[in-house]
């Protein structure tokens, strides 16, 4: 008896990319995903684009605090320290 | 814990570093709950004051980060309720596909995505495009991608800070990343 493994379409795959990267796919789905990626240049490029997007996002520096707001907080901290 | 001890001892530089480390992220999370930027900023200021006032009582059962963000969540929710706002923070937002359906024909790419030129990826402009794309996301998607991908938080920390189920966190991350990738693709295709 032959087992028919349902293949993923490209359109389905792009919806599974996050689950794949999070390790949330079942072993079976991960196999199907890997098999598709190995055979499909388009989806391999797409996966690379997502991982590059994530890596680039990691290079953003956090928003700077408004100097006046920061000064107010440091003042509050000093007050607290003076009181305790 | 050294950080907590330093704060209790009144070490201002440590407090300053803490503020700088978390300020942007606290704001992003506050924005999920409350209506305006001004109110979000107030909620974050209140949170820091509560941290200062509460640091002596902090027992260290959770990490300092988790504690700070749970104070924020409480303050933000209280404020949102006072504003009479139904809290949409858990809302998943729109459900657009990761890639527009006209890019596919019977499930297959009509044209493959193209490789991105490395020289352009390394530029500052690219970072601005990403920043902009993140700014344009619905608040909850924005909070999740900021915490996970910009700040590098674990999925578990994000779920706890934002009170999301595992599935919801993933869906939000998926939608956010898909949109940011699409924005980057559009930008890179522009002067190709």
């Amino acid at each position: 008896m032959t087992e028919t493994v349902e293949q993923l379409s490209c359109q389905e795959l792009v919806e599974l990319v996050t689950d794949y990267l999070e390790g949330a796919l079942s072993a079976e789905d991960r196999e199907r995903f890997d098999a598709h990626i190995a055979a499909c240049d388009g989806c391999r490029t797409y996966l690379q684009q997502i991982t590059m997007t994530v890596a680039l996002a990691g290079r953003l520096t956090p928003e700077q605090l408004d100097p006046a707001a920061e000064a107010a907080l440091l003042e509050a901290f000093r007050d607290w320290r003076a009181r305790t | 814990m050294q950080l907590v001890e330093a704060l209790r001892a009144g070490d201002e530089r440590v407090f300053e570093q803490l503020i700088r480390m978390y300020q942007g992220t606290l704001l992003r999370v506050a924005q999920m709950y409350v209506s305006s930027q001004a109110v979000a900023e107030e909620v974050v200021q209140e949170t820091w004051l509560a941290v200062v006032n509460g640091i002596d009582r902090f027992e260290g059962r959770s990490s300092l980060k988790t504690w700070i963000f749970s104070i924020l969540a409480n303050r933000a929710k209280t404020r949102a309720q006072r504003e009479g706002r139904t809290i949409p923070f858990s809302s998943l937002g729109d459900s657009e596909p990761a890639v527009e359906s006209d890019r596919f024909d019977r499930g297959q790419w009509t044209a493959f995505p193209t490789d991105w030129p490395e020289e352009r990826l390394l530029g500052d402009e690219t970072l601005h495009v990403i920043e902009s794309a993140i700014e344009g996301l619905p608040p909850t998607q924005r909070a999740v991608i900021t915490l996970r991908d910009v700040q590098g938080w674990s999925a578990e920390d994000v779920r706890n800070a934002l009170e999301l189920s595992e599935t919801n966190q993933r869906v939000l991350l998926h939608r956010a990343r898909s949109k940011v990738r699409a924005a980057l693709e559009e930008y890179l295709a522009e002067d190709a």
Side-chain angles (χ1 to χ4, degrees):
Chain A
M1 191 170 79
T2 45
E3 229 177 47
T4 329
V5 178
E6 224 180 272
Q7 304 216 6
L8 280 179
S9 74
C10 304
Q11 197 167 15
E12 284 170 327
L13 184 132
V14 300
E15 295 301 343
L16 292 178
V17 167
T18 305
D19 286 350
Y20 177 76
L21 293 172
E22 294 284 278
L25 292 180
S26 67
E28 193 185 300
D29 281 341
R30 197 168 59 245
E31 260 179 59
R32 291 163 70 204
F33 190 101
D34 283 334
H36 183 111
I37 288 283
C40 178
D41 286 346
C43 286
R44 195 159 53 247
T45 304
Y46 183 82
L47 178 61
Q48 276 169 8
Q49 287 180 355
I50 290 281
T51 51
M52 277 190 263
T53 302
V54 172
L56 288 167
R59 293 178 53 207
L60 291 177
T61 49
E63 286 166 42
Q64 297 305 339
L65 180 56
D66 166 49
E70 185 177 305
L73 283 173
L74 290 175
E75 180 77 32
F77 189 69
R78 274 179 226 124
D79 285 346
W80 163 78
R81 195 179 57 177
R83 272 183 281 120
T84 51
Chain B
M1 192 196 163
Q2 270 184 330
L3 196 57
V4 175
E5 289 314 309
L7 289 172
R8 284 186 180 142
D11 190 336
E12 208 173 283
R13 266 168 319 178
V14 168
F15 185 56
E16 194 173 40
Q17 275 168 32
L18 198 65
I19 299 173
R20 289 191 181 160
M21 187 157 60
Y22 292 134
Q23 180 68 11
T25 312
L26 286 167
L27 262 177
R28 279 272 154 80
V29 175
Q31 282 162 356
M32 274 171 41
Y33 297 89
V34 298
S35 53
S36 76
Q37 176 68 5
V39 174
E41 283 171 7
E42 277 171 34
V43 168
V44 173
Q45 288 291 93
E46 281 171 35
T47 300
W48 284 124
L49 294 174
V51 167
V52 168
N53 286 316
I55 195 71
D56 281 339
R57 293 188 305 273
F58 173 64
E59 285 169 37
R61 273 182 279 128
S62 64
S63 71
L64 185 63
K65 177 173 85 179
T66 305
W67 182 62
I68 293 173
F69 277 83
S70 66
I71 294 175
L72 174 79
N74 284 329
R75 301 253 152 194
K77 277 187 273 189
T78 305
R79 195 61 185 264
Q81 271 162 15
R82 273 217 305 264
E83 290 183 332
R85 212 169 172 232
T86 49
I87 301 169
F89 61 89
S90 60
S91 132
L92 300 177
D94 46 50
S95 67
E96 292 166 24
V99 178
E100 287 173 24
S101 51
D102 61 9
R103 298 282 299 272
F104 302 100
D105 178 30
R106 281 167 295 176
Q108 317 249 5
W109 293 100
T110 53
F112 282 168
T114 51
D115 284 320
W116 285 345
E118 231 180 87
E119 330 79 66
R120 293 195 66 203
L121 282 179
L122 298 174
D124 277 345
E125 187 57 33
T126 305
L127 292 181
H128 288 143
V129 170
I130 293 188
E131 199 163 39
S132 218
I134 293 178
E135 281 300 313
L137 293 172
T140 316
Q141 288 179 26
R142 189 170 68 217
V144 172
I145 196 173
T146 300
L147 292 179
R148 287 298 310 273
D149 294 347
V150 178
Q151 301 287 4
W153 286 30
S154 70
E156 192 184 327
D157 279 352
V158 173
R159 274 177 23 230
N160 289 328
L162 304 184
E163 295 173 323
L164 295 169
S165 69
E166 211 175 294
T167 312
N168 282 3
Q169 193 256 169
R170 268 205 307 276
V171 171
L172 289 161
L173 185 62
H174 178 73
R175 290 185 181 159
R177 283 178 177 173
S178 302
K179 291 203 187 98
V180 176
R181 186 216 65 92
L184 201 43
E185 180 182 55
E186 198 180 301
Y187 161 70
L188 290 169
E190 264 165 28
D191 358 86

